[in-house]
Amino acid sequence: MSTTLTTATTEVAVDHELFTLGHRNLVVTGFGQIALCTLVALAAHENVVAATLQWWWAFMLASGVVYWLEYWLFNHAAKLQEPDARLLRKWRLHRRTLQFVVGLGWGSLGFLLVPAAQSHNVIVMTAFVGMLGYAGAANTANDFVGFVVSGIAIVVVMVSQFPAVFGADATPITIMCVLYLVALISVVRNTQKLMRGSIRLRLANAVLARTSAEQAARAEKANREKSEFLAAASHDLRQPVHALLLLVEAYRQQEPLAARHPLLVHIAAAGQSISDLFNSLMELSRLESGVEKPVMVAFDLSELIGRVLLRVRPYADRKGIVLRRFEARGMDCATLCTDKVLLERILGNLLSNAIRYTSQGSVLLAVRQAHGGDGLWMEVWDTGVGIADEDQARIFSPYVQIGNQERDRSKGLGLGLAIVHHAASLLGLEVTLKSQLGRGSRFRVHVPRRVCVAGQVKAESQAARTALPVSVPQLAGRRVLLVDDDPMVLQAMQALLQTWQLDLRCTSRGDASVLAACSAEWVPECILCDFRMPGKLNGIELLDYILERFPEAVGILLTGEMVQSVQTQAEEAGYLVLFKPLDPAVLASTLSAVMSRRDKGRTT
């Protein structure tokens, strides 16, 4: 059926529904007629002439069998999914003809009436009244015209015998029978109107539901195609932004006098704005599209907090904000069971938002037991500008920025809290806000207790359970192998890393030949590897291959892919993940922390 129905097609559809109802009743009606006429014949055989009774009984049996033949004849039409107007017209002709013939048969009950046989006549009149009422009920789900034809045939033939049987009482009995028929016709007419209206409404609702489903499917397809396009384009779009930020930072470090030039400052700010906007749009698009599914993982809470703070600390240091952490007693060794990647994004965005709107003071990440022991609270406190009560309900919507009508990009993009909202919804977490203008804000995430069921949990690699401390980069002379197939990114990374006086070697190969960059005299301490490489090996597999030869090296995956599975796979393999476009300060502090941890591991 089409998703839009005209009046004509609607009526055909309604007739088809009524036809299927009537068709299902044919077998039962046939059995009922045979049974009832047989009972009447048994009750009347002592008072009615045998020949008359036999002819009437044979006629009613034959018409009862015709009901079954009609059921078989239209059985294929009843199985059709789409209405056929031609078959419906044929059905109505057959059905009304049969109703008329059967009506003549039941009206012939009048020939079974016997003068002065009151008990016998009561039985016959009861059968007449009951059959007329059944005809009305049966045709309510079938055909109003068919009932009128049948009812008139029954009454006309029946009352024609009343004068000979009832004498002076024939007239009032005839009037009562006619009034009974008129009342039945009125009831059947009104009932079928209601039934037809109900069927029209159901068909209209079905069309509306189908239309809504098709529109939802088209919207979902468009959203999926958008997400697939962004995912496919993300790597290529991130690469030049990534290279731009690295080149700007390399130039600033190589030319100290030029680092303060306003043009260079503006270039760096513009590049960072593009990076922030692209990252936020990609993350929000993935969360809204539903392509990300939570992966329940049992992990150490303290490790997650350390990694989140490590990533946002450069931004806090840049603004002179004190970044603090507090874990209540027992929380420093607590284990959570939820999606680690999504929870890290929630906390990271809350901390970044708090740092952005705090000009002086501190930002605190606190973890404490929830009241009643129902899970725990992860709270982000700041001493920033605060949020008015009337604005608190809308800050989780995309692009909403309180007090930034001029859309100053230095105040963010209005996407961080929208990402928090969508990620929390995926995990079933509750995020609440308490804030006061001029006094700061507190965002609280309630993480309920969950049990990770065996077979549903991905085990976390022990190699990834290390919170990297923050320290001043001391990278001079450290041996780093850089693997990236993009010449522009490779040149930019090389320019930046050489300003830190690293002992750097580079390669763009994504196969076994990558080892040619190393030698017995030059063994890498750290490997920076891009995820998407030419050839059969991706970045994770390539790091595995290199570390088989140099097991004491530390592997770091660089990627422009924002797909959750990439980060999960890398961390399960024990590799730290840094996303492009990469902030040089984050890269510097990460390299410094990795080298420091490596040195401590070797001394112990």
Side-chain angles (χ1 to χ4, degrees), residues 17-35:
E17 292 286 326
L18 292 175
F19 154 65
T20 56
L21 288 173
H23 181 265
R24 285 198 297 267
N25 291 335
L26 287 175
V27 174
V28 176
T29 301
F31 276 115
Q33 175 160 316
I34 292 173

Side-chain angles (χ1 to χ4, degrees), residues 499-519:
T499 62
W500 297 338
Q501 299 180 357
L502 286 166
D503 187 357
L504 180 68
R505 293 195 180 183
C506 304
T507 179
S508 59
R509 304 299 295 272
D511 50 32
S513 63
V514 69
L515 297 178
C518 309
S519 64

Side-chain angles (χ1 to χ4, degrees), residues 513-536:
S513 63
V514 69
L515 297 178
C518 309
S519 64
E521 295 77 23
W522 194 94
V523 176
E525 299 174 84
C526 178
I527 303 159
L528 298 173
C529 184
D530 187 29
F531 175 75
R532 185 179 292 189
M533 297 294 296
K536 298 181 179 180

Side-chain angles (χ1 to χ4, degrees), residues 590-602:
T590 301
L591 284 175
S592 177
V594 164
M595 294 298 185
S596 175
R597 175 177 171 273
R598 180 179 180 277
D599 293 342
K600 290 179 181 179
R602 295 184 67 185

Side-chain angles (χ1 to χ4, degrees), residues 238-239 242 279 484 489 530 558-560 578-582:
R238 287 173 184 273
Q239 295 290 72
H242 177 58
N279 287 338
D484 200 307
V489 173
D530 187 29
L558 305 178
T559 179
L578 297 178
F579 292 99
K580 301 176 182 179
L582 182 61

Side-chain angles (χ1 to χ4, degrees), residues 387-405 414 417-418 433:
I387 305 169
D389 293 341
E390 61 271 18
D391 294 325
Q392 293 182 14
R394 61 191 187 96
I395 60 170
F396 291 98
S397 300
Y399 306 106
V400 171
Q401 289 182 286
I402 308 302
N404 188 19
Q405 300 299 324
L417 293 181
L433 166 65

